[in-house]
Amino acid sequence: MSTEPLARPAAERLARLAEERVDHRFKGLPPDADGLTVAELAAQRRNLFRDGDGFTTPVLALSAERLEHNLALMEAYTSRHGLAFAPHGKTSMAPQLFHRQLEHGAWGITLALPHQVRVARAFGIRRVFLANELVDASALRWIAGELAADPEFRFVCYVDSVRGVELMDAALAGAARPVDVVIELGAGEGARTGVRTETEALAVADAVAAAGALRLVGVAGYEAQVPDASPERVRQWLERLVALAVECDRAGRFAGADEIVVSAGGSEWFDAVADVFAGLPELSLPVLRLLRSGAYVSHDDVHYSRLTPFNRVPEEGALEPAFRLWAQVVSRPSPAEAFVNAGKRDAAYDLDRPVAHVVRRDGGERPATGIEVTALSDQHLWLRTGPDADVEVGDWIGFGLSHPCTSFDKWQLIPVAEADGTVVDYIRTFF
């Protein structure tokens, strides 16, 4: 478990999240809570469902128990497999969750954009892995200033082109500390970013060696982009990544590094990452085997529930979907239709539609039998209701969601509720 202390300004910023005043900015919260601080509202332990406690629909909630379960499970998994862990923070953009991940043993936080790094730094994150080539001169100069001001700040980012290296080196001219970079190996033709061949990778390594402001410390990539991904194809790509690290080390290309970073790992193939990284041969420096999965923190009910590696290795445990979106039936125009007051503004829909799980009426809860989401409007979910669907105007329906990354970003302040609906905390997001 991480014991890294927060610098005082960052600790104060984290504490001030609890001092923020509740008002009209935050969807779903009780109107009569306006003016209370988040801490005061949490201390009241209001219940999502209790008459008089005032939560309005739609409201997105995180399960307190499932959130803690997921954090503990990935801590145990990465420790068991000898992996360092930098969960992808763009999933939640929630500093409170970043720090809970660090408390559960994370090495640092992965991010994708300069703004996200600024959020992390504002809240005291001292190790950042940027899973992108950073060529924005203003952002690079800011990073250089952070590195100069904080000797304990560790920043690593991708490089995947000679041109990118040249732009970075020019922007960082005169920087007090070099920026650590890893060569991104692309997952194949038609995949996303990254060099396509080992020859290109070595050309980028040569460019880094010639750049005074950069230091090559490893190799990395994203295995979920492997075309027509299968266990065999993913393993083959991971073996290429490992071989690239070995070749670069043999040629002395990591001279000046303190350790060699070898990094991969989304939320679909981390079992393959663990297996292949376990076979890394001894290199000239200590190796940081860095996993970067992010969606695990809330998991989901469709996409990652179907693709999680724990389906392949059930003996290692199981993640639990922690999100539930509550919406109210506002129209029942026919026996085959119903509409609730949540839509694209509230629920992720880029990968899969929400799934109806439970119906609440008069304090009771039952399975959402015969209810299917067929479409989304901006502010409505369209429901097809079968003959066995018992649904009335005024009912609350609890929906499971798909894709955490596009669920968190629709909510600025998210209640964390125990199994009976008692809200014990609130998570602030910064998108």
Side-chain angles (χ1 to χ4, degrees), residues 1-18:
M1 183 173 291
S2 173
T3 57
E4 180 181 89
L6 274 172
R8 182 175 176 182
E12 290 174 350
R13 288 191 189 101
L14 198 65
R16 282 203 297 270
L17 292 179

Side-chain angles (χ1 to χ4, degrees), residues 326-344:
W326 292 97
Q328 194 166 28
V329 179
V330 293
S331 181
R332 186 82 159 99
S334 77
E337 297 174 289
F339 294 83
V340 299
N341 63 344
K344 293 178 179 178

Side-chain angles (χ1 to χ4, degrees), residues 203-391:
V204 173
D206 288 339
V208 173
L214 304 178
R215 181 173 70 162
L216 186 65
V217 299
V219 299
Y222 180 44
E223 73 290 339
Q225 283 286 306
V226 169
D228 300 317
S230 65
E232 295 75 19
R233 287 175 179 269
V234 168
R235 287 186 66 91
Q236 288 169 4
W237 178 82
L238 288 164
E239 287 164 357
R240 283 182 61 203
L241 184 69
V242 166
L244 178 61
V246 171
E247 172 60 25
C248 286
D249 185 51
R250 184 181 296 119
R253 296 180 182 275
F254 300 131
D258 300 318
E259 61 186 357
I260 297 170
V261 179
V262 182
S263 179
S267 295
E268 299 176 27
W269 297 101
F270 55 73
D271 56 335
V273 174
D275 288 345
V276 174
F277 281 12
L280 260 164
E282 185 174 346
L283 301 181
S284 65
L285 294 168
V287 177
L288 187 74
R289 297 165 171 84
L290 192 63
L291 183 71
R292 307 192 310 271
S293 312
Y296 81 99
V297 69
S298 67
H299 198 44
D300 73 5
D301 282 275
V302 188
H303 182 76
Y304 287 110
S305 287
R306 184 170 61 240
L307 297 177
T308 175
F310 287 117
N311 292 338
R312 294 187 290 271
V313 287
E315 67 279 5
E316 300 253 27
L319 294 167
E320 298 177 350
F323 270 140
R324 182 154 287 178
L325 176 67
W326 292 97
Q328 194 166 28
V329 179
V330 293
S331 181
R332 186 82 159 99
S334 77
E337 297 174 289
F339 294 83
V340 299
N341 63 344
K344 293 178 179 178
R345 310 291 187 186
D346 315 296
Y349 59 92
D350 55 319
L351 296 180
D352 304 279
R353 292 188 290 269
V355 179
H357 282 315
V358 295
V359 178
R360 290 189 64 90
R361 182 190 305 161
D362 300 329
E365 189 172 295
R366 63 186 182 280
T369 305
I371 301 173
E372 179 188 1
V373 178
T374 59
L376 294 88
S377 300
D378 284 353
Q379 309 293 177
H380 294 92
L381 298 182
W382 296 53
L383 308 184
R384 178 185 296 125
T385 54
D388 52 349
D390 179 12
V391 181

Side-chain angles (χ1 to χ4, degrees), residues 64-223:
E65 297 88 352
R66 293 183 171 198
L67 180 61
E68 178 58 29
H69 168 85
N70 293 342
L71 289 165
L73 180 65
M74 284 304 289
E75 178 183 20
Y77 181 86
T78 53
S79 176
R80 186 162 55 245
H81 289 279
L83 298 169
F85 192 29
H88 210 319
K90 57 94 176 172
T91 296
S92 70
M93 285 307 299
Q96 292 151 286
L97 293 182
F98 294 172
H99 282 283
R100 288 188 66 177
Q101 290 169 315
L102 292 174
E103 289 164 3
H104 279 276
W107 170 90
I109 299 295
T110 296
L111 296 163
L113 298 171
H115 158 71
Q116 296 169 356
V117 181
R118 290 187 63 197
V119 171
R121 289 296 291 158
F123 288 93
I125 303 303
R126 287 188 168 142
R127 289 174 179 161
V128 170
F129 185 102
L130 189 75
N132 251 328
E133 182 171 70
L134 181 58
V135 294
D136 184 305
S138 295
L140 284 162
R141 286 191 290 267
W142 176 79
I143 290 290
E146 291 291 294
L147 289 167
D150 184 358
E152 296 184 11
F153 178 37
R154 177 84 190 275
F155 177 82
V156 182
C157 75
Y158 283 171
V159 287
D160 80 346
S161 65
V162 171
R163 170 66 172 163
V165 169
E166 293 169 347
L167 290 171
M168 293 179 73
D169 193 44
L172 292 165
R177 290 172 59 190
V179 168
D180 287 346
V181 296
V182 292
I183 297 170
E184 183 193 7
L185 179 65
E189 291 300 327
R192 206 161 59 188
T193 55
V195 297
R196 295 309 197 233
T197 68
E198 282 73 5
T199 299
E200 291 172 325
L202 297 179
V204 173
D206 288 339
V208 173
L214 304 178
R215 181 173 70 162
L216 186 65
V217 299
V219 299
Y222 180 44
E223 73 290 339

